Amino acid sequence: MSDRIRALTRRVGSVMGSTLVYVLIWAGLVLLIAALGIRFYWGKISVNQLLLNLISVQVDGGGGAIVWIGVVAIGVVPLLVTGGIALLRYLRRRKRRFGRHMQSRRSARATRIVCSVAVAAIVVAGSSAFASAVGVVDYIKAANSDFDLGDYYVKPIVTDDEHKRNLVLIYLESGEATLADGQLFEKDAFAPLKEVTTSSDGWQSIKGLQEYEGGGWTMAGITATQCGVPLKGMGTVSGNAALNELGGVIDTYLGGATCLGDVLEDHGYTNVFLGGADASFAAKDTFLRSHGYSDVKDLNVWRAAGEPEESIRDWGLSDERLMAHAKDEIDELHAEAARTGQPFNLSVLTLDTHEPVHVFDYCPVDTEDAATSVFSCSMAQVAGFVSYMEEKGYLDDTAVVIMGDHLKQMSAGSAFHEQLAASDNRSIFNRIWIPGENPGSTLRPDVDQMNLYPTILEAAGLTLQDSEAGLGVSAFAPSVSSNSAQAMMPEPYAELLNSRSEQFYATAWAGQDAPQ
């Protein structure tokens, strides 16, 4: 009986050992392929970016081709490879069992050592590559920080709205100012937009506008400039069941933070958002509706309105057609505002310059690198919208803020990788128009995206207590308070932005007022 038990134990142990080996091979391949894909499409990202972009992933109007590539490369290929290895090992053992393959003990031991080393190499390579691609080390270091955003967060207090005005907010996808450098690129991609937003006509800009530490994707740019806080999510909110369910639907998005749309809504604004992509991608629609936007128009709306498929790419509607809709929208909003006396906020997010860029029929390619022409064509469409507002007289009572949502991503497969890698002075393109503002006035330079939140509120004509909101101080303020996060030295400020701040985000995601 004992011999049978020992034999059974050995057999069970052998099966469990083999299963563990195959699981390790599969896991190592998944991590390795995922890391290679991340590096190719996005460059180095963060854990927060990874998790928050897995919320409501779409296969249409949200990088569907990339999603399907990911499903095949990460979900199918590792299974096939692991299954193939298992099958080869089974056939090899079967040959030995029937005496058709003779192997010495020394050779068998060498084979086992080689296989063990190979499995270990796959696991180590996959784990290391993935950890590097998503910044796991930085994520762990952030958990050990003593800083907490709640110690610096300021809920905006509006002291006067007598001079509130209409607001148009335009986000330029990957709108990096470096792309205006004619020495690095074939031509100045921003030339069309720069021509209609000159300082001599009264347009202003923040010199050296920086992407915030830890940012670098669209939703991070939106929450930074509209809420004044870094975007962090599931890793710090273990109690939020919706956020912990990958691909699940969430009811609110940073509902405890007071954001741009909330403040504007409280002061009588109608908030409308226009975008070419499916707004449910990364839960953008949930964010907007959680923060005062009453109308969110996206790819689904444009398709229902009869937009032809030639005006739509994988990511969504072309900027040519988006700006045509923006003209119609501002006509309606301005007329309603004139009738009721209640202002509006029209927020627009461009799309054509999202990687991989797509050349629509409206865009003539006159550069060797098609991406340069696409950027120029997109800026020309935005410039056309600005000119339209000027022709209609809307700029007489409407503030306009134009800015990139983040720097151009530095991935192995993206355009301009080599040129941007050679630049040591990268910043975000921006232009600000305030009716009646004196030409030549300057804004505080070298600020990051956190400071755009109070800047936009003040551009809309609202007076803020101490010019503060979130972690930011308005760029219209010449100096900052010593108690502000903006008064910190660069290294501790970067640590503050990267800190997990678990209590702050737990209450913010739970829909409670963020601590201050």
Side-chain angles (χ1 to χ4, degrees), residues 454-516:
T455 302
I456 294 169
L457 286 172
E458 291 198 339
L462 303 179
T463 302
L464 291 175
Q465 182 173 300
D466 298 325
S467 295
E468 293 183 314
L471 298 182
V473 177
S474 171
F476 293 108
S479 60
V480 301
S481 166
S482 59
N483 296 324
S484 169
Q486 299 306 315
M488 300 173 70
M489 296 299 289
E491 287 190 11
Y493 178 63
E495 184 179 343
L496 172 67
L497 296 183
N498 286 321
S499 66
R500 296 280 287 276
S501 302
E502 293 190 4
Q503 183 59 44
F504 177 88
Y505 285 103
T507 55
W509 280 104
Q512 305 168 15
D513 286 340
Q516 54 182 307

Side-chain angles (χ1 to χ4, degrees), residues 91-212:
L91 294 176
R92 189 167 176 274
R93 293 181 65 182
R94 190 177 180 186
K95 282 184 178 180
R96 284 205 309 267
R97 184 180 304 169
F98 287 97
R100 290 186 295 224
H101 178 76
M102 301 299 295
Q103 186 178 34
S104 67
R105 290 185 178 181
R106 180 176 298 177
S107 176
R109 188 180 299 111
T111 300
R112 286 196 296 271
I113 293 174
V114 170
C115 291
S116 299
V117 171
V119 171
I122 292 173
V123 174
V124 171
S127 301
S128 300
F130 186 79
S132 174
V134 303
V136 170
V137 173
D138 295 335
Y139 188 72
I140 294 173
K141 286 174 60 178
N144 297 320
S145 174
D146 293 329
F147 284 106
D148 190 281
L149 292 178
D151 296 334
Y152 295 89
Y153 177 83
V154 176
K155 184 176 181 179
I157 298 175
V158 176
T159 59
D160 184 8
D161 70 351
E162 183 180 354
H163 303 291
K164 63 186 178 183
R165 58 177 69 94
N166 302 321
L167 173 67
V168 171
L169 180 59
I170 303 176
Y171 288 99
L172 308 175
E173 170 60 46
S174 303
E176 179 170 343
T178 316
L179 299 174
D181 189 337
Q183 294 183 336
L184 285 177
F185 303 95
E186 295 176 73
K187 66 177 180 178
D188 179 352
F190 286 100
L193 188 52
K194 289 161 69 174
E195 290 174 4
V196 298
T197 58
T198 63
S199 59
S200 60
D201 288 333
W203 287 83
Q204 304 174 71
S205 64
I206 299 172
K207 183 179 180 181
L209 176 61
Q210 299 297 305
E211 180 180 280
Y212 81 84

